[in-house]
Amino acid sequence: MNDGVMNDGVMNDASDPTVGDNTRVDAATSSSEPSGAGSRTRHMKPPFSLTQQRERLAAHNISFDGYTDRGVESVLARINYYRITGYALQYRVRPDRHWCEDGTQFADIMSIYQFDEEFRLLLLRYLEPVEVKLRAVVSHVFTAAHCSESPHDQHTKAEFYYRKRDALAIIQAYSYEDERDQSTPWAHKHPRYRETAPLWVMVETMPFSRLVRYYQCLKRQDRQAVAKEFNTTADNLQNALLCIVRLRNKSAHGNRIYNTVNLRKARLVRSEVKRLVDAQSVFAYLILLGCYQPTLHQRRRFATDFWELLSRYDPHVVRPDLLGIPASGGRHLLH
């Protein structure tokens, strides 16, 4: 679930700027009768049939070797044309034009698509342990520091937070979760938790991006105590969580990750990593995700699974550099 853009910098990442041309707004405007003073009607491109979409791809110099016309249209029926064109970006002769290099194959574009699909599933598998640990640590740290005295509801009081208004809005949102009773495993045991609940119950109902905002609302000493459980500083953890939210949202919503650049720079701690890796690259975010795995075994397993996935694809098609992996290789940076 995405919770929208907040002043604290947690981004709603449900929409990925995957570039295509079938739904691009036409720059031309109409000279028809305006609906209001000074207004003009903006016309968009008309919808294309599957056959027209296939023909448009062919007009962009994409070949369909190994595919029948019906086979291409079958792919377009289940995967949006606009989505597919985002995976052809590396073949464009110019970034601002749709014409592709000679020899561009639809099969290669679909291979990139398949890699990205598998990549997102892999990420979700290793995002979950970080999310689960954060829920537990935030709950343990805050309740141990502030909720030991009766009535044990200090997490609902503004004075225990740095960002008071935002914290209370997050706490109050608990009572508005329509599906809480059906979706939480403790609902049948604790019907009295309809309006409010202990923090360890609340953190399990929060969407991950909201949980990260809640972490940002804590006083600095509490954020430092949480960060200590991740063997880092409060500021480094905050940056990592914001980057991980970005990865999680893109993975959960099926947005393209391959061949993208992130707006937020990852805080890379090791000097060698900072020297070799672009902080806005996908690979920088992978390094962060690996670093914050709860156990050494999970960290090593994540690295092994990623490199094994990448090795199954032709490096001339699924290009490591378009993930931000250095030309010298990156196995010693993510291991």
Side-chain angles (χ1 to χ4, degrees), residues 252-273:
H253 292 278
N255 296 147
R256 178 167 53 88
I257 298 178
Y258 174 83
N259 194 13
T260 59
V261 176
N262 299 294
L263 295 178
R264 183 179 301 281
K265 291 184 177 182
R267 281 196 174 192
L268 303 172
V269 178
R270 291 166 50 197
S271 58
E272 182 184 19
V273 176

Side-chain angles (χ1 to χ4, degrees), residues 143-176:
T143 55
H146 305 295
C147 298
S148 59
E149 296 183 4
S150 184
H152 313 295
D153 65 349
Q154 288 82 351
H155 60 291
T156 67
K157 309 299 182 184
E159 60 264 31
F160 292 94
Y161 296 100
Y162 170 64
R163 295 183 176 178
K164 297 175 172 55
R165 186 175 62 178
D166 288 348
L168 291 186
I170 291 169
I171 293 297
Q172 290 164 3
Y174 172 83
S175 63
Y176 304 137

Side-chain angles (χ1 to χ4, degrees), residues 207-230:
F208 186 53
S209 56
R210 191 184 302 167
L211 178 66
V212 172
R213 292 207 306 274
Y214 181 75
Y215 169 77
Q216 293 177 294
C217 292
L218 302 181
K219 292 184 177 180
R220 185 159 187 83
Q221 62 268 30
D222 293 328
R223 285 188 287 118
Q224 288 173 331
V226 172
K228 185 177 180 180
E229 295 300 316
F230 288 87

Side-chain angles (χ1 to χ4, degrees), residues 75-91:
V75 172
L76 290 167
R78 61 185 173 83
I79 305 174
N80 195 332
Y81 172 99
Y82 184 71
R83 177 183 291 268
I84 288 174
T85 56
Y87 293 94
L89 292 178
Q90 71 194 58
Y91 296 113

Side-chain angles (χ1 to χ4, degrees), residues 290-330:
C291 288
Y292 286 93
Q293 291 299 302
T295 68
L296 181 60
H297 171 75
Q298 287 168 306
R299 178 177 179 177
R300 288 174 174 170
R301 187 73 255 173
F302 170 58
T304 299
D305 287 350
F306 169 72
W307 293 117
E308 192 276 330
L309 170 63
L310 188 61
S311 71
R312 298 206 306 267
Y313 289 85
D314 183 345
H316 298 290
V317 176
V318 177
R319 290 168 42 188
D321 62 301
L322 294 181
L323 291 167
I325 298 173
S328 58

Side-chain angles (χ1 to χ4, degrees), residues 1 3 6 8-11 127 130-132 134-135 138 163 166-167 170 203 206-218 223 226 230 234-246 248-249 264:
M1 172 177 177
D3 296 308
M6 293 286 289
D8 57 25
V10 177
M11 298 176 65
L127 285 160
V130 180
E131 179 177 337
V132 170
L134 182 67
R135 295 182 190 280
V138 165
R163 295 183 176 178
D166 288 348
I170 291 169
V203 296
M206 294 179 189
F208 186 53
S209 56
R210 191 184 302 167
L211 178 66
V212 172
R213 292 207 306 274
Y214 181 75
Y215 169 77
Q216 293 177 294
C217 292
L218 302 181
R223 285 188 287 118
V226 172
F230 288 87
D235 291 340
N236 283 346
L237 179 59
Q238 177 167 301
N239 172 265
L241 291 176
L242 292 173
C243 294
I244 288 170
V245 164
R246 174 72 170 167
R248 186 193 184 281
N249 285 346
R264 183 179 301 281

